[in-house]
C-alpha cells in the first residue's frame, strides 16, 4: 500500500500562533451550548468603538453568555453571582431580541418562530432588569451571526413551562441526589424562612400575633376546594370545616376569605375574593363578617375596603412601568433636567407608588386607630391584595422589617396566596395583557419606606434589588408559578417525583441565598443602621426608649370613601382618593379646625419621634416619594457617580459597625478569661465568616481609604451596558436632586419597549 511522505513546510513563521484567550464560562448540569459566534464585538458606546470588548457570543438553553477575549479586571468589592457571570443574561430575563440590518438599518424583533431574511449586523438585547446590551458582528461570519440570533430568540420563548431550564435542572438535581434522602425527604438545607406549606408554620404565626380566636383549617388539602389557595388556611374558630367548604362555592375560584395578620388589640386583617353568586353574596358575606366580628375581643364590626375601586388596575400599572422604563433606559436625554423629572412624574409610576402607600396607611388607621378588623376585597384576590396586605403588615409589625420576617411576609402574602408570578412576569412571553410588575411595585413601596426610615429595616436596598433580579432566574419556585399547587404537584408529576416529597427540596425557594451568592456577598443584605428590638434612640442629646400608647399614632388624612362597614359605605370619613396623606399637616403639628378622627390619628403620630419598633407611617407627598435610583439607573453609566452616592455612606457605617463588633468580641474574651490568666484577644475580631458587615474596619496602621469600585451603582457594575456618550459621571448635585443627565442606550425607532 502506497503511503505518501509528508512534505516539509516551505514557509516558516516566526510570529507566535494566534490565540484567543477566553476566560471560562459557568456551565451547569444539563446546560447545553446550542449555538455560538466568534469575533463578536460587545458595544459599550454608540459614538465610537473605543472601550468595546471582543470575544465569543454563546447561547445555551439557560443563558446568553459573552466571553471576552481578554479577561476582565477582578473587582474585589462587587456582587458576584454563582450562577451567572458578569456578561451573562438569563434567557427568562430577555424582554426583546432585536436584530439590525447593516445595509438599510432595518430592525426586526425576533420571536420563537420568526425567520430572519437578512444577515444581522447587530443584535440588541432588551432585558427585564433594565439592561440594554448591544453586539456587533463586524468580523463574525454572517451565517454564524444569524444562527446565534435565531437560537437566542427561540430559547428565550419557551412553548411550555416545563421547557424552562429550571425544570430540567431541578428535576435532574432531585433524582441525582435522591440517594441522600432520609425517609423520603431531606432537611430544608438551612432555610430559616417559614414556607407556610404545613400547619406548624401557620400555628407559629397565630401564636406570634396572639390570634387566639383563629385556627388552622386543612379543608383545602390536595387543593380540593381551590387550586390557587394553600392547602392550609386560617379561619375563625367559630367556623366549622363544613361551613368553610360550603362558603367557598360563593367565591371566585373557591377562595374563601384568608386571614393575614392580627393586631395586639384583637383586630384582624383579612383578604377576600369577589363573589360568583351576586344574588346570594350578601347572605354568605354576612355570615363570614359575623364570624370575624366574633373573633374580636370587643366584637367590633368589620370594615370592607374595595381595592378594585380605589386603586389602579394591573394594566394601568404595567403601562406606567413601561413609560418609566422607557424614560430611564431607552430615551436619549437632551432636555433640561426639569423636563426629565416631569416625564418621570407623567409616567404615573410614582403616583401609583404614592397611592398604594396612602391606601395602606388608611388600612393601618382602621386596624390601629379605630380598632376594627379590615377585609381587603379584590375580585380575584391575587394581585392588588398582595401589595396592600403586605404593606399594611410592614407598617404595623416590626417583625416583618427584619430580613427573615420580610421573607416570610413575601412567602405568605404572595407565594402561598397564589399570586400569578408566571403570568405577571410573562416568563413564557405568551400573553402581554396579563403581564404586570406588581411585585416590583411592592418592592418600590418598601424601598420608599426604607428611604424614609433607614434604621427601621434590617435589609438594604441592594437586597431588594437582588430580590427583584431573582424573578428572572428560573431556578426558584418563589417566582416561577401561579400557585403553590402548580409547584408542589404539577412539577412533581412531570418529573416523576413522589407527591409526598417536600417541594422545598424538589424546587428550592429563593430564600436559600447560598444558591446565588457567597456568604460574604450575602452580608451586603445587612443594614448597618438597623435598630433592633428594644434599642434606644438619641433625641436632643438624651437617650430615650419609646413606649407608645395605642392612641399615639397619627398623620393627616381622611379615610377613603371606598371603606365600608360590614359592606356598607361609611359617611363620617371621606376624602378624594388622590389626596395627600399629609396634605393638611401643619409645621407645628397644631390641631386643625374640624379635624376628623383619621386626621387626628395621623397628626398625633407625626408629632412624635418615630418608634422604629412600632407603627411606621410613610410620607406620601410628591417630594417624599422619589425615584428608586439603584433599581432604575444602576446600569446607566452616564448617571453613575464614581466614589459617590449612598454606597459611600454604607461603606463608612459598615466599617464603624464592624469595628464595634470587633471591640465587643474582644470585651467578651476579656470577661471570659480566668483571673490568673492573661487574655490575648484576637487582633482582627470575629472570624471573617461570622462578620455581619461587608466592609471590614480599617486597622490602626492602615489609612482610611474608599474602594475604587464604590459608586452610585454599587454593588452592581454598569460597565458593559450600552451607553450613548463616552462621558462617565455627572454633577453630583444634579444626581442627588433626582435628575439624570445624558440618558443612555439605543432607542427602537418604531417599536415601543
Amino acid at each position: 500500500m502506497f503511503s505518501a511522505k509528508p512534505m516539509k513546510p516551505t514557509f516558516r513563521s516566526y510570529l507566535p500562533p494566534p490565540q484567543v484567550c477566553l476566560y471560562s464560562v459557568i456551565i451547569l448540569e444539563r446546560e447545553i451550548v446550542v449555538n455560538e459566534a466568534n469575533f463578536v464585538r460587545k458595544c459599550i458606546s454608540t459614538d465610537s468603538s473605543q472601550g468595546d470588548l471582543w470575544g465569543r457570543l454563546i447561547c445555551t438553553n439557560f443563558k446568553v453568555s459573552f466571553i471576552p477575549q481578554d479577561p476582565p479586571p477582578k473587582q474585589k468589592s462587587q456582587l458576584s453571582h454563582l450562577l451567572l457571570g458578569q456578561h451573562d443574561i438569563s434567557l427568562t430575563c430577555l424582554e426583546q431580541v432585536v436584530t439590525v440590518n447593516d445595509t438599510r438599518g432595518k430592525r426586526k424583533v425576533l420571536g420563537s418562530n420568526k425567520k430572519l431574511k437578512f444577515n444581522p449586523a447587530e443584535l440588541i438585547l432588551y432585558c427585564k432588569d433594565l439592561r440594554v446590551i448591544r453586539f456587533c458582528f463586524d468580523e463574525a461570519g454572517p451565517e454564524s451571526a444569524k444562527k446565534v440570533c435565531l437560537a437566542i430568540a427561540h430559547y428565550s420563548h419557551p412553548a411550555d413551562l416545563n421547557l424552562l431550564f429550571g425544570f430540567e435542572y431541578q428535576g435532574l438535581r432531585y433524582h441525582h441526589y435522591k440517594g441522600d434522602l432520609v425517609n423520603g425527604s431531606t432537611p430544608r438545607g438551612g432555610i430559616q424562612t417559614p414556607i407556610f406549606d404545613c400547619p406548624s408554620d401557620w400555628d407559629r404565626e397565630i401564636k406570634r400575633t396572639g390570634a387566639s380566636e383563629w385556627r388552622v383549617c386543612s379543608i383545602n388539602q390536595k387543593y380540593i376546594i381551590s387550586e390557587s389557595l394553600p392547602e392550609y388556611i386560617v379561619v375563625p374558630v367559630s367556623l366549622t370545616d363544613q361551613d368553610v367548604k360550603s362558603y367557598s362555592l360563593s367565591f371566585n375560584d373557591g377562595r374563601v376569605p384568608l386571614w393575614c395578620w392580627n393586631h395586639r388589640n384583637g383586630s384582624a386583617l383579612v383578604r377576600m375574593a369577589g363573589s360568583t353568586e351576586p344574588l346570594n353574596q350578601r347572605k354568605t358575606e354576612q355570615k363570614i363578617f359575623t364570624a370575624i366580628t366574633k373573633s374580636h375581643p370587643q366584637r367590633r364590626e368589620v370594615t370592607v375596603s374595595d381595592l378594585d375601586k380605589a386603586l389602579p388596575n394591573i394594566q394601568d400599572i404595567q403601562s406606567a412601568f413601561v413609560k418609566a422604563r422607557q424614560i430611564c433606559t431607552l430615551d436619549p436625554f437632551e432636555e433640561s433636567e426639569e423636563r426629565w423629572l416631569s416625564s418621570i412624574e407623567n409616567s404615573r409610576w410614582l403616583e401609583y407608588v404614592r397611592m398604594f402607600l396612602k391606601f395602606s396607611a388608611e388600612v393601618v388607621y382602621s386596624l390601629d386607630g379605630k380598632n376594627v378588623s379590615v377585609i381587603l376585597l379584590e375580585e380575584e384576590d391575587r394581585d392588588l391584595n398582595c401589595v396592600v396586605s403586605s404593606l399594611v403588615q410592614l407598617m404595623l409589625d416590626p417583625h416583618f422589617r427584619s430580613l427573615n420576617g420580610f421573607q416570610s411576609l413575601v412567602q405568605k402574602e404572595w407565594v402561598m396566596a397564589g399570586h400569578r408570578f408566571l403570568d405577571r412576569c410573562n416568563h413564557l412571553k405568551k400573553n402581554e395583557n396579563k403581564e404586570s410588575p406588581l411585585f416590583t411595585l411592592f418592592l418600590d413601596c418598601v424601598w420608599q419606606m426604607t428611604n424614609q426610615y433607614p434604621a427601621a429595616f434590617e435589609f438594604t436596598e441592594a437586597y431588594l434589588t437582588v430580590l427583584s433580579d431573582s424573578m428572572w432566574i428560573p431556578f426558584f419556585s418563589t417566582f416561577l408559578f401561579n400557585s403553590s399547587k402548580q409547584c408542589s404537584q404539577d412539577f412533581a408529576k412531570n418529573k416523576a417525583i413522589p407527591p409526598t416529597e417536600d417541594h422545598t427540596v424538589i424546587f428550592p425557594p429563593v430564600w436559600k441565598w447560598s444558591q446565588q451568592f457567597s456568604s460574604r456577598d450575602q452580608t451586603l443584605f445587612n443594614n448597618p443602621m438597623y435598630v433592633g428590638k428594644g434599642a434606644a434612640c438619641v433625641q436632643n442629646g438624651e437617650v430615650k426608649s419609646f413606649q407608645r400608647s395605642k392612641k399615639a399614632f397619627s398623620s393627616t388624612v381622611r379615610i377613603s370613601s371606598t371603606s365600608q362597614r360590614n359592606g356598607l359605605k361609611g359617611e363620617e370619613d371621606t376624602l378624594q382618593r388622590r389626596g395627600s396623606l399629609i396634605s393638611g399637616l401643619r409645621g407645628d403639628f397644631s390641631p386643625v379646625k374640624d379635624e376628623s378622627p383619621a386626621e387626628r390619628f395621623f397628626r398625633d403620630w407625626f408629632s412624635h419621634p418615630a418608634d422604629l419598633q412600632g407603627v411606621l407611617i410613610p410620607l406620601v407627598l410628591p417630594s417624599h416619594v422619589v425615584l428608586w435610583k439603584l433599581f432604575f439607573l444602576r446600569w446607566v453609566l452616564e448617571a453613575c457617580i464614581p466614589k459617590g452616592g449612598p454606597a459611600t455612606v454604607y461603606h463608612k457605617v459598615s466599617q464603624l459597625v464592624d469595628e464595634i463588633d470587633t471591640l465587643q468580641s474582644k470585651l467578651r474574651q476579656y470577661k471570659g478569661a480566668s483571673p490568673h490568666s492573661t487574655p490575648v484577644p484576637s487582633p482582627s475580631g470575629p472570624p471573617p465568616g461570622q462578620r455581619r458587615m461587608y466592609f471590614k474596619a480599617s486597622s490602626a496602621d492602615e489609612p482610611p481609604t474608599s474602594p475604587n469600585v464604590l459608586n452610585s451603582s454599587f454593588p452592581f457594575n454598569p460597565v458593559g451596558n450600552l451607553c450613548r456618550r463616552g462621558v462617565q459621571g455627572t454633577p453630583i448635585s444634579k444626581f442627588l436632586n433626582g435628575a439624570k443627565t445624558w440618558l443612555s442606550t439605543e432607542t427602537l425607532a418604531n417599536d415601543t419597549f
Side-chain angles (χ1 to χ4, degrees):
M1 186 175 183
F2 178 76
S3 175
K5 275 175 116 182
M7 296 181 62
K8 294 183 179 180
T10 58
F11 173 77
R12 181 178 180 182
S13 173
Y14 291 91
L15 295 174
Q19 293 183 354
V20 180
C21 180
L22 300 176
Y23 77 96
S24 60
V25 62
I26 304 171
I27 297 294
L28 305 173
E29 285 185 285
R30 287 295 175 95
E31 185 178 5
I32 303 169
V33 176
V34 295
N35 223 303
E36 63 181 84
N38 292 313
F39 307 108
V40 177
R41 178 163 58 93
K42 183 177 183 181
C43 303
I44 305 301
S45 177
T46 59
D47 53 8
S48 69
S49 60
Q50 186 177 3
D52 290 353
L53 302 175
W54 289 86
R56 181 193 302 170
L57 182 63
I58 292 177
C59 174
T60 75
N61 55 344
F62 165 49
K63 63 178 180 286
V64 177
S65 191
F66 178 75
I67 309 175
Q69 179 176 338
D70 299 316
K74 292 184 178 180
Q75 303 283 0
K76 292 183 179 179
S77 299
Q78 186 181 323
L79 200 62
S80 179
H81 209 283
L82 300 179
L83 298 174
L84 295 167
Q86 181 180 348
H87 298 277
D88 294 350
I89 310 161
S90 169
L91 291 172
T92 49
C93 188
L94 294 180
E95 179 78 21
Q96 280 188 341
V97 179
V98 180
T99 54
V100 183
N101 188 349
D102 188 29
T103 56
R104 292 183 297 172
K106 181 181 178 182
R107 302 190 177 201
K108 182 178 180 64
V109 179
L110 294 181
S112 179
N113 298 317
K114 290 188 178 180
K115 296 182 179 180
L116 192 58
K117 297 181 180 180
F118 58 83
N119 294 325
E122 296 180 10
L123 172 67
I124 306 176
L125 302 178
Y126 296 91
C127 306
K128 293 184 178 181
D129 62 359
L130 278 67
R131 281 182 291 175
V132 181
I133 312 294
R134 177 171 166 241
F135 300 100
C136 287
F137 303 109
D138 310 89
E139 305 296 332
E143 281 302 314
S144 63
K146 180 187 290 188
K147 287 180 180 179
V148 76
C149 290
L150 290 174
I152 292 172
H154 176 75
Y155 281 90
S156 63
H157 291 74
D160 187 75
L161 178 64
N162 296 321
L163 296 178
L164 287 175
F165 178 72
F167 273 64
E168 186 72 18
Y169 177 79
Q170 299 295 8
L172 172 71
R173 175 180 166 274
Y174 169 81
H175 289 290
H176 183 70
Y177 294 106
K178 188 167 61 174
D180 297 335
L181 300 179
V182 181
N183 296 326
S185 67
T186 77
R188 297 196 168 188
I191 300 176
Q192 298 178 353
T193 301
I195 304 300
F196 293 100
D197 60 347
C198 58
S200 59
D201 287 346
W202 290 104
D203 279 327
R204 278 190 290 269
E205 187 66 8
I206 290 174
K207 185 178 180 180
R208 189 188 68 81
T209 58
S212 57
E213 295 299 315
W214 296 78
R215 67 178 180 88
V216 180
C217 175
S218 58
I219 193 67
N220 196 38
Q221 274 190 307
K222 297 183 179 180
Y223 306 97
I224 59 174
I225 67 170
S226 175
E227 294 189 351
S228 62
L229 286 179
E231 290 189 277
Y232 304 96
I233 59 178
V234 177
V235 299
V237 294
S238 59
L239 292 181
T240 65
D241 286 0
Q242 187 58 39
D243 291 334
V244 176
K245 188 174 183 179
S246 61
Y247 296 158
S248 67
L249 301 175
S250 301
F251 294 96
N252 288 329
D253 194 28
R255 292 182 66 91
V256 294
L258 276 178
W259 174 87
C260 301
W261 183 81
N262 239 63
H263 195 284
R264 63 181 180 272
N265 61 25
S267 58
L269 179 66
V270 182
R271 50 192 292 177
M272 184 174 74
S275 176
T276 57
E277 301 176 355
L279 297 178
N280 298 327
Q281 175 184 6
R282 183 64 183 167
K283 184 177 180 181
T284 303
E285 287 183 351
Q286 193 57 49
K287 292 179 180 179
I288 294 175
F289 294 163
T290 301
I292 296 175
T293 299
K294 289 181 180 179
S295 70
H296 197 290
Q298 300 174 14
R299 300 298 189 265
R300 295 287 185 92
E301 295 180 337
V302 301
T303 296
V304 179
S305 293
D306 192 335
L307 274 64
D308 290 321
K309 294 179 180 179
L311 295 170
N313 58 40
I314 63 172
Q315 289 80 18
D316 292 337
I317 295 171
Q318 170 70 1
S319 175
F321 180 73
V322 168
K323 291 176 183 176
R325 180 176 60 185
Q326 174 89 16
I327 296 166
C328 290
T329 62
L330 297 180
D331 290 344
F333 188 79
E334 298 174 354
E335 302 170 335
S336 67
E337 58 188 62
E338 289 80 10
R339 289 285 299 276
W340 186 83
L341 292 173
S342 298
S343 299
I344 289 290
E345 187 63 31
N346 292 337
S347 72
R348 305 194 72 181
W349 176 258
L350 293 179
E351 176 189 345
Y352 292 161
V353 171
R354 290 195 295 270
M355 289 174 64
F356 274 88
L357 288 171
K358 173 182 175 292
F359 188 90
S360 301
E362 295 170 356
V363 177
V364 168
Y365 163 68
S366 296
L367 289 164
D368 190 78
K370 296 173 68 176
N371 191 12
V372 296
S373 296
V374 177
I375 296 178
L376 303 176
L377 175 62
E378 185 192 7
E379 186 64 26
E380 294 188 347
D381 182 34
R382 302 176 71 177
D383 293 310
L384 306 182
N385 269 357
C386 297
V387 182
V388 174
S389 64
S390 301
L391 289 176
V392 170
Q393 294 173 68
L394 200 69
M395 295 176 188
L396 285 168
D397 194 338
H399 167 70
F400 295 124
R401 296 172 215 148
S402 67
L403 181 60
N404 194 55
F406 180 78
Q407 294 180 165
S408 70
L409 178 68
V410 174
Q411 186 70 29
K412 176 168 66 80
E413 296 299 327
W414 291 81
V415 181
M416 300 310 293
H419 179 64
R420 294 186 179 92
F421 278 108
L422 180 64
D423 293 340
R424 298 298 176 248
C425 295
N426 198 17
H427 286 314
L428 302 182
K429 300 177 178 65
K430 285 186 175 180
N431 194 339
E432 294 184 356
N433 295 328
K434 294 182 179 181
E435 185 175 0
S436 186
L438 287 160
F439 191 68
T440 301
L441 176 73
F442 165 66
L443 294 180
D444 200 330
C445 291
V446 175
W447 177 82
Q448 301 292 338
M449 294 189 64
T450 64
N451 189 45
Q452 295 179 21
Y453 303 101
F457 295 83
E458 188 180 13
F459 46 85
T460 61
E461 67 171 327
Y463 166 79
L464 295 175
T465 311
V466 165
L467 185 58
S468 172
D469 291 345
S470 299
M471 285 193 291
W472 316 121
I473 303 176
F475 281 83
F476 316 115
S477 60
T478 311
F479 303 123
L480 207 55
F481 301 97
N482 284 335
S483 65
S484 59
K485 174 186 180 294
Q486 195 176 30
C487 171
S488 60
Q489 288 193 0
D490 297 353
F491 167 72
K493 183 179 180 181
N494 180 270
K495 295 299 178 183
I497 298 174
T500 55
E501 286 291 1
D502 186 347
H503 76 272
T504 60
V505 176
I506 302 169
F507 219 124
V510 72
W511 316 127
K512 190 177 179 182
W513 290 107
S514 59
Q515 299 173 108
Q516 298 189 66
F517 305 104
S518 65
S519 298
R520 182 173 184 267
D521 282 350
Q522 290 178 53
T523 58
L524 285 166
F525 301 164
N526 299 330
N527 178 15
M529 293 183 285
Y530 176 60
V531 177
K533 187 175 182 180
C537 180
V538 178
Q539 182 187 8
N540 297 329
E542 297 181 4
V543 179
K544 296 185 178 181
S545 238
F546 296 109
Q547 299 294 333
R548 286 279 189 95
S549 64
K550 292 183 181 180
K551 297 182 179 180
F553 307 107
S554 48
S555 171
T556 49
V557 69
R558 297 177 186 268
I559 294 302
S560 170
S561 59
T562 55
S563 294
Q564 304 173 21
R565 176 172 296 171
N566 279 352
L568 301 176
K569 291 185 178 181
E571 299 178 358
E572 57 178 6
D573 301 321
T574 58
L575 184 67
Q576 292 181 357
R577 174 166 55 89
R578 296 183 182 178
S580 167
L581 181 62
I582 56 168
S583 57
L585 189 62
R586 297 181 182 272
D588 57 355
F589 303 101
S590 58
V592 182
K593 189 177 181 181
D594 299 328
E595 189 177 47
S596 71
E599 290 174 325
R600 190 179 310 115
F601 172 88
F602 291 110
R603 178 180 56 78
D604 289 343
W605 193 92
F606 281 106
S607 66
H608 292 78
D611 179 6
L612 301 182
Q613 289 298 311
V615 176
L616 287 185
I617 305 294
L619 300 165
V620 296
L621 283 176
S623 58
H624 296 128
V625 177
V626 297
L627 186 70
W628 183 8
K629 296 187 182 73
L630 186 65
F631 177 80
F632 283 99
L633 305 179
R634 58 182 159 147
W635 308 118
V636 181
L637 188 62
E638 299 86 345
C640 181
I641 309 172
K643 298 185 179 181
T648 56
V649 178
Y650 173 79
H651 170 243
K652 294 298 183 184
V653 178
S654 296
Q655 285 186 317
L656 181 60
V657 171
D658 186 70
E659 186 174 1
I660 293 172
D661 288 346
T662 302
L663 291 173
Q664 288 179 339
S665 176
K666 292 179 180 179
L667 284 174
R668 284 193 294 269
Q669 292 182 16
Y670 273 107
K671 289 180 180 179
S674 61
H676 302 290
S677 64
T678 303
V680 183
S682 171
S684 58
Q690 298 178 10
R691 290 184 182 270
R692 295 187 299 124
M693 295 296 109
Y694 186 78
F695 293 107
K696 297 189 300 182
S698 302
S699 60
D701 54 346
E702 292 179 358
T705 57
S706 297
N708 293 328
V709 295
L710 277 186
N711 54 53
S712 55
S713 296
F714 179 84
F716 305 96
N717 184 14
V719 177
N721 197 50
L722 186 65
C723 66
R724 180 162 294 277
R725 300 188 181 183
V727 180
Q728 293 190 19
T730 62
I732 189 170
S733 60
K734 292 184 178 181
F735 187 85
L736 295 179
N737 287 332
K740 176 173 176 297
T741 60
W742 310 317
L743 269 180
S744 68
T745 65
E746 286 282 320
T747 305
L748 283 174
N750 301 316
D751 295 313
T752 301
F753 181 44

